[in-house]
Amino acid sequence: MWSTLPLVLKLMIAGMLDVKSWGNLMIAVVGDSDIARVEREEIEQTKIMACVNTIIIGPTFKRTSIVTILKIYSTTRDIVLAAVQKYGDALDYASEELRGDRGVVLAAVQLNGWALECASVELRGDREVVLAAVQQYGNALEYASEELRGDREVVLAAVQQYGGALQYATKKLRDDKKIVMEAVQQKGF
């Protein structure tokens, strides 16, 4: 029965078993004969699809396995996007290029605002990205650009999520009565 399963399904099953080495996984799961029949590019695309699918599959897939996959495929957008949609802080393992990809970073910070720390300098100055981050995790304001730490709406969103985020606002906004009152009303301050 195993030999009749499609290659993608074999890889998904193997991925869930948490085999330590992805290279050994290919040999162990699909066998030399299958590899000989599939062109190299097709194998790579199949591995990428299998990684994405195993990341998405659910709670039984171990986070450490996702980190292992990201160390191999840190430049592959589909895999990184699937990972950050499950664990926002997986952005920490993404390539520099993908840390500058607005879609990937936005997906990460919406799930885990702390991921803003891993974003490119350019995206730390992107108002929509920073707003999404501070609404999820107020202290993400620390990683925002200086300009956005002086943006009233961004700072207000941050202190509404966590009052202690006030410490990362510009001096002018730390002296703003409405923002200070909002921060004080939060349990985190």
Side-chain angles (χ1 to χ4, degrees), residues 35-51:
I35 291 175
R37 285 186 276 147
V38 182
E39 292 181 29
R40 189 165 207 72
E41 186 177 304
E42 189 177 325
I43 290 173
E44 190 61 26
Q45 192 58 35
T46 301
K47 289 190 316 187
I48 290 169
M49 287 172 37
C51 288

Side-chain angles (χ1 to χ4, degrees), residues 150-189:
D151 181 302
R152 195 168 205 288
E153 184 183 352
V154 170
V155 172
L156 194 55
V159 299
Q160 285 172 338
Q161 199 286 322
Y162 177 68
L166 181 63
Q167 67 184 316
Y168 302 114
T170 60
K171 170 101 172 89
K172 180 180 177 184
L173 291 180
R174 285 195 312 262
D175 293 337
D176 182 297
K177 184 177 180 178
K178 182 177 179 185
I179 290 177
V180 171
M181 289 304 292
E182 192 67 44
V184 169
Q185 290 176 9
Q186 296 306 309
K187 294 178 182 178
F189 191 65

